[in-house]
Amino acid sequence: MELVVRKNDLLRELQLFQGIVERKNTIPILANVLMEAMGDQLSFLATDLEVGLRSKCAASIAKSGALTLPAKKFYEIVKSLPETDIRIAEDKGGVKVAADRFDSRMQTLPREDFPTLPESGGASSATLPRSAIKEMVEKTQFAITGEDTRYFLNGALFVLRPEAMSLVATDGHRLALVTVTRDGKPDDAEEVKAILPKKTLGELARLLQEGDEDIRYERGENHLFFEVGGRLLISRMIDGQFPAYERVIPKGNDKHIEFERDRLTNAVKRVALLSNERSRAVKFQIDNGKVEVTSSSPDLGEAKETLPVDYGGASMQICFNAQYVLDFLAAVSTDIVSIELKDEVSQAMMKPVGAEGYDYTYVIMPMRV
Amino acid sequence: MTDRFSPATILHADLDAFYASVEQLLDPRLRGKPIAVGGGVVLAASYEARAFGVRSGMPGRRARQLCPDLVFVGGHFSEYQRLGDAAIGILSDFTPSIERISIDEAFADVAACTHLFGSPAEIARTVRARVRAELGLPMSIGVARTKHLAKIASQVAKPDGLVVVDPDTELEFLHALPVALMWGVGPATEARLAKIGVTTIGQLAESSPKSVERLLGHAVGTKLTALAWNRDPRQIQMRRRAHSAGAQSALGRRPAIERVFKPTLHHLADRIGARLRAKSLAGRTITVRVRFADLRSVTRSLTLSAPIAATRALAEIAEDLVRGVLADHRNEKTISLLAIAVSNLEAHAMVQLELPLGLGDEGRRPGTKKGVARSRADRAIDAIRKRFGGEAVDYGSAVGGGRSVPDEFRRLVEREL
């Protein structure tokens, strides 16, 4: 293989692979990116066996072929080079990467060791609007559990129906559900569900950062494919049963309070500074016309901030992990948010007020003494 | 502290045949007779009984065979606590630098009080005399430069004696003694060392550290070699903060089956859970230890996302871990000991409730409906026991697990001192 490629073209693609390659390095080849040169294109592939990414860029190819290079080191080298042409050539001793007056030779691993990934072109596919998906990922990603024992919660459930699509994630303490309406074709399958790994969502969000193309989505037997602007994200599905999340969304929470989002965010942030460092508990004391957010910690002290609200119902108090409240407040963009409560031990429900184009429900369990 | 020239100021004080001595003190008719505290199992034996070969931990039947005149007595547990506290109290009249390691033994460092009360040997003599005069109990004391050597010296001093080890001749003293006297050398290690011809501490000291490490593992090997040369940097720890809570149960030789280990684990979990709850603590890491017939032990642990102190949850996790151990050691048919420890302790103040997702692991999570119900049940049981005593109420699953050792005794041994 021998080619010349522009630094910025190469760098843009290599950057996208930094989150994909395996960091633990248990299987050496998974730290490498596979590059294939053919015609006037250089194509890339990397995977950690859970998530894979294919992409390509233009290059002038003197000799076609394929080779693998350590994704991280290769990226660092390319990044450090001046904006110029980069020459890549394979010889007996390794792979030559050169530009300007810089010269290097990198160790390679045999192309044959690189795993094969499933190809798209299977059963059901759909076009998904880019901005809606981006929004959905941002509003649910943070609620995915980090606990390995509940592997079926290590991702978000994607539900695709002809008239709407939803993404839902939970860590057992809070649940985030976002639904967007869509105009599916009448011959679309009734309902297609899949659990998307946390890492897949993160990489998808990265692919959606730039550009304006929509997403072509395809569900294979064990894999999902997301094609965005010529790049293809391939993800294993989490094999498991996502819990019946509809059941935990409270109905009949009779206490409704609205807050200005900024004021609530600032109050919770400030008060949480003196909360117990492990539990991060803040208390909401709700009375006629006001909500008092308080915290106390035997080692640190105590704090209080009063927020005037339009509320005339029964008084109550409820404790939350401040981080869970702040996660929601950071994920929404409306000026006003609402909270609906029943009692101090039942699910609370938070929603953005006046959100357009999507329906967002955040369910959060209180803390108790 | 432990340089070669430091004086011998560490005392190890140990009440002789403590439980049996208390019984003989309380009932003069038992004095001079071979007695054992316990029934199914010998918890403690008087020196008269020991002369016949009766040892603590021995099945009652075997003890009677060895000593037909053996008198079994039930335990006066509150008296043990009171007299144990009183004996340590006498020691603390001399120095606050005391580390109590069980109900009947403690270390003390008298380096700072010799100008008030005389040499360490004089202090030890006074303590022994006062314990004898004020409490009527025999106490042996070892005095040395390190904790390890002081403890060995007190064992050598028994019964009712005092041994002061002169720093100039401490290695001669130490090296002549059998390895079994060393702290950390149990029957299993003793047998292994015997295989390479090591029976005295001197032989252990002269063995190549490499071969000892190969035999006993790096950590144990290094530690024992250092102790054999009286290198022991450990200082008196006056106040130990609890980092973990544990309990164990010696089973003799019992088949490795559910019917045996389940009630035992439940009972252990109950004891640990109650202790944690009494201190408003809960732990995230649960460790079990299973010892097989050949005294080889296997441990297994699990770390949870939220700390627990609930008896049932602890018991279920311990059961799973033991099942895992047994599944990996299918040829082991007999277990001789089970132990549970809970570590990664946290103050148990706020509980994050969990969404009712209907998942299978809810019993192990303190914030689920089931978890909350379990802590309520535990609190109710704790309250009843506090009022009416430990045997007043029990969990259904723990009933019927035959106990050879009374729980009052367990509590005494496991109590935070």
Side-chain angles (χ1 to χ4, degrees), chain B residues 163-223:
Chain B
V163 168
V164 181
V165 185
D166 181 348
D168 291 337
T169 54
E170 63 182 22
L171 288 180
E172 286 91 322
F173 169 80
L174 182 63
H175 286 175
L177 295 168
V179 279
L181 275 181
M182 292 178 76
W183 215 354
V185 176
T189 309
E190 188 187 359
R192 279 194 193 160
L193 287 170
K195 274 189 197 153
I196 59 164
V198 171
T199 55
T200 68
I201 299 174
Q203 286 165 337
L204 177 64
E206 299 300 341
S207 303
S208 94
K210 279 249 155 38
S211 65
V212 177
E213 279 177 39
R214 234 187 339 257
L215 193 71
L216 306 173
H218 175 72
V220 177
T222 318
K223 194 182 94 185

Side-chain angles (χ1 to χ4, degrees), chain B residues 392-412:
Chain B
V393 57
D394 210 337
Y395 298 81
S397 48
V399 173
R403 278 164 223 160
S404 49
V405 177
D407 279 349
E408 283 136 310
F409 181 78
R410 300 270 189 206
R411 269 190 288 280
L412 206 57

